[in-house]
Amino acid sequence: MKKINKARLAVLSTITMTVFAFIACSNDEESIDEVTSTGELHAAFAEFDTDETSIYLSGSNVVIETTGNPNHTTVYWGEGNALYKEEPNVDLTPSIIPNYDASATLTVSQNPQKASSPTSTSLGAIGIAISGAAIFNDQEGNGALDQAAASLDYTGGHIGPQEYHYHLEPKAWTEDDDKLVGILADGFFIYGRKCNSTGAYPTDLDASGGHTSITQHNTETEYHYHIENELYNNQYYLIFPGAYQGTPSSIN
Ligand SMILES: [Zn+2]
Ligand SMILES: [Zn+2]
């Protein structure tokens, strides 16, 4: 008899707890959105230039708004501009940064996940660098980047038919180190050729140059990319010749 009573009690208390939990859930329904949208921005976002970018949470997403303009010197600012840098060896494309409205917005999950299969990148911006300017892939107008190599400035950027953008390791702030480069359209961060977790070139990268480890911005492990540590055309490092491992959002 005692055993049966205990069993009944257990069943009863389970039901009671379920009912309470249900009531608690329905009462809290409205505050769930508030809880997720009052989370904190990932520490890596503090590296983005605050003059060029505006970054904030919206529900469970992060919104990155950028002027699209780089916060550093380049020949592409044009003579007379405070950030103009003379680069006589650059085969200039016929335009300058102030002639473009390069502003863009990217909205990604605050907690991006890897997708079940990779997604190829396409022409146009594939990410936003901490400088404010766009990150492009390893193609130039659907052709090999070599054709446009002469027009790239000291930091691997140029103006193609579109706004100023980087194809190569942006030496204006990262060269053979573990600095943050920016964020890609799938919400994952991309770092320099070295990883802060070991201080060395990572040896466990997937086909997209990504792996899961701690970073200088997270004591918990998280998936992130690195600039490809392989010389392209015997002279430079491509930022991201691979495919997205997450689900890309549009940058526009
Ligand atoms: Zn280009
Ligand atoms: Zn890493």
Side-chain angles (χ1 to χ4, degrees), residues 52-189:
E52 307 299 342
T53 64
S54 169
I55 301 171
Y56 54 92
L57 294 174
S58 171
S60 56
N61 292 327
V62 186
V63 181
I64 302 118
E65 293 176 353
T66 182
T67 63
N69 293 334
N71 64 354
H72 54 70
T73 60
T74 164
V75 64
Y76 283 101
W77 275 108
E79 273 182 72
N81 188 287
L83 288 173
Y84 173 74
K85 177 187 166 79
E86 206 175 328
E87 291 185 86
N89 296 328
V90 173
D91 185 10
L92 282 179
T93 48
S95 194
I96 54 171
I97 292 167
N99 289 353
Y100 282 88
D101 174 9
S103 59
T105 302
L106 168 64
T107 303
V108 292
S109 168
Q110 216 184 330
N111 184 23
Q113 303 293 322
K114 283 168 78 174
S116 52
S117 58
T119 303
S120 302
T121 59
S122 49
L123 292 179
I126 64 164
I128 296 173
I130 63 168
S131 68
I135 298 171
F136 274 38
N137 66 11
D138 59 339
Q139 301 277 302
E140 183 69 23
N142 274 329
L145 185 61
D146 302 30
Q147 307 161 21
S151 68
L152 295 169
D153 64 14
Y154 74 101
T155 188
H158 69 166
I159 292 180
Q162 287 133 315
E163 75 275 20
Y164 181 85
H165 56 266
Y166 312 104
H167 290 281
L168 310 179
E169 180 175 60
K171 293 180 181 171
W173 73 91
T174 172
E175 185 172 6
D176 197 21
D177 57 29
D178 66 4
K179 301 255 174 67
L180 181 67
V181 175
I183 188 168
L184 294 193
D186 59 3
F188 292 123
F189 293 107

